[in-house]
Amino acid sequence: MASSPPKPALGKTGVILPPIVFGTSSLGNLYQVIDPLVKRDIISEWFRQSDGIVAVDTAGKYGAGLALESIAESLTHLSIEPEQILISNKLGWRRVPLSGDEPTFEPGAWVGLEHDAVQDIGYEGILRCWTEGDELLSPYRADFVSVHDPDEYLAAATDDSDRESRWTDILDAYRALGELRDRGEVQAVGVGSKDWRVSQRISNAVELDWVMLATSLTIYSHPPALLDFVETLRQRQIAVINSAVFHAGFLMGGSFFDYRPVGNTPEDVARLSWRERFHHVCADHAVAPAVACVAFGMSPPGVVATALSSSRPERIAEHVRLVDQKPPAEFWQSMVEAELLENDVVETLLR
């Protein structure tokens, strides 16, 4: 694969992100309780394995603020200077008292929490989330901000009128975030959603610095319209951060596809067949599936970084290495011959 062109700055900010952005959902006890000392080890590895500034992606939704608190506690313990880390905080959820045995938001996903969380999107709501986020992160603060999962917020609408009202809420939230940027309270404003079409709509309505894609631009799924959108963003100096390039671990051999259990539907059977052939090609060329997934996800010129998350400190070094490894050209040709990639995609992105 040919060397990649120089990566652009984050929008018009001049900020150059490192090629890996560390995800932090595990710090909020996603699916399992993680000991605070292990969390501290994870964060310590970010800095031990990185050359230069560390960038992380977090959210008030992660453990109802627990991830934010864990970041602040660990950074303070490790004596990390604020200038050594760039924090992206996705806003839209804030913590409230826990009234039952478990939180009401995303039941079953978050374990061992002492707080609940409620959604709060709109002009005043997003400012409340931003203020709370920086309080939980103190003495650190968020450099980049966005509205968390606006696609899911829109999808929860009960009818067309409600959907239009929710769209207004999102625009009002971005008006508030834009004012924070204009005052120098934050460096950059972005959007992240699983439905890239919602990100496209928002990017056409407000001034963004970056777009985070999730489960959409992958070696398995990369529709032409999405690739065109990424190129349009590059031309507009809006950087792209790619995430969830493994489809929630499915492409590595996991039993979930985009956080949904894989079953026996025709769609899932086809996905399993694709994965089996993909792993065969990887084995033939001694290319780890994770390497292929990350390399493909970073191949469009507008993609400046990949977000990767782990609950195990020993995996951080592997993730850092992933963003620098490139499969040989012969591997991509075999992917075409196995009818796993289109030749024009390989010719455009990977040579």
Side-chain angles (χ1 to χ4, degrees):
M1 183 168 58
S3 60
S4 301
K7 296 298 184 182
L10 196 72
K12 302 178 180 66
T13 65
V15 176
I16 303 295
L17 279 180
I20 183 171
V21 175
F22 295 106
T24 62
S25 57
S26 63
L27 302 182
N29 289 353
L30 180 64
Y31 301 132
Q32 62 179 326
V33 173
I34 297 180
D35 187 278
L37 294 180
V38 175
K39 295 179 183 182
R40 186 180 295 172
D41 288 343
I42 291 170
I43 293 174
S44 177
E45 282 297 294
W46 294 347
F47 292 89
R48 199 168 77 86
Q49 301 296 335
S50 299
D51 181 17
I53 291 177
V54 166
V56 303
D57 173 67
T58 190
K61 187 180 185 182
Y62 294 166
L66 177 60
L68 302 177
E69 289 180 318
S70 299
I71 291 170
E73 186 278 332
S74 296
L75 293 177
T76 300
H77 178 83
L78 296 167
S79 300
I80 301 298
E81 295 294 331
E83 294 77 18
Q84 294 177 264
I85 187 166
L86 294 171
I87 300 175
S88 173
N89 190 13
K90 301 189 290 288
L91 307 172
W93 293 81
R94 55 182 176 84
R95 66 167 39 170
V96 295
L98 184 65
S99 58
D101 294 333
E102 64 175 358
T104 58
F105 77 104
E106 296 186 331
W110 306 96
V111 184
L113 302 189
E114 298 179 357
H115 301 87
D116 206 343
V118 294
Q119 202 164 36
D120 200 3
I121 293 178
Y123 184 89
E124 296 294 340
I126 216 70
L127 290 177
R128 284 189 288 267
C129 295
W130 170 70
T131 299
E132 178 182 272
D134 276 6
E135 289 174 349
L136 295 174
L137 284 169
S138 180
Y140 305 88
R141 62 185 303 172
D143 304 283
F144 313 144
V145 290
S146 62
V147 177
H148 197 175
D149 292 335
D151 52 336
E152 295 181 2
Y153 186 67
L154 290 173
T158 56
D159 54 35
D160 289 344
S161 176
D162 185 29
R163 184 177 178 86
E164 189 59 33
S165 176
R166 287 169 178 261
W167 174 246
T168 299
D169 290 341
I170 291 171
L171 294 182
D172 287 344
Y174 273 104
R175 178 163 56 89
L177 298 184
E179 291 173 1
L180 291 177
R181 179 180 55 195
D182 293 343
R183 294 199 304 265
E185 301 278 1
V186 300
Q187 292 189 48
V189 173
V191 61
S193 70
K194 299 178 183 67
D195 186 346
W196 65 268
R197 295 171 186 81
V198 171
S199 294
Q200 184 179 48
R201 184 183 180 190
I202 291 173
S203 73
N204 290 331
V206 302
E207 184 180 352
L208 297 177
D209 300 298
W210 54 272
V211 168
M212 176 177 276
L213 302 174
T215 68
S216 51
L217 176 52
T218 72
I219 196 170
Y220 175 76
S221 176
H222 43 271
L226 172 57
L227 295 177
D228 290 343
F229 173 49
V230 171
E231 173 59 19
T232 298
L233 292 174
R234 185 191 66 80
Q235 294 175 6
R236 294 169 57 192
Q237 293 183 273
I238 301 173
V240 174
I241 302 168
N242 206 354
S243 67
V245 296
F246 307 135
H247 286 287
F250 174 79
L251 295 181
M252 301 300 98
S255 56
F256 286 78
F257 182 88
D258 293 352
Y259 312 102
R260 176 189 59 77
V262 175
N264 294 317
T265 66
E267 293 81 6
D268 283 346
V269 170
R271 291 179 181 122
L272 290 166
S273 173
W274 191 98
R275 185 178 70 182
E276 183 179 8
R277 289 179 287 139
F278 169 54
H279 281 207
H280 279 311
V281 174
C282 288
D284 288 344
H285 292 272
V287 172
V291 169
C293 289
V294 172
F296 185 92
M298 293 190 71
S299 61
V303 177
V304 303
T306 295
L308 297 171
S309 182
S310 178
S311 60
R312 296 163 52 190
E314 64 271 18
R315 295 291 299 276
I316 302 301
E318 176 187 342
H319 284 178
V320 171
R321 290 192 297 268
L322 277 177
V323 299
D324 292 325
Q325 298 180 63
K326 310 295 181 186
E330 294 79 9
F331 169 80
W332 301 115
Q333 184 56 43
S334 293
M335 290 287 287
V336 172
E337 293 170 358
E339 299 183 346
L340 298 171
L341 285 176
E342 296 292 335
N343 187 65
D344 59 343
V345 171
V346 170
E347 291 288 343
T348 301
L349 298 181
L350 300 162
R351 289 186 178 169

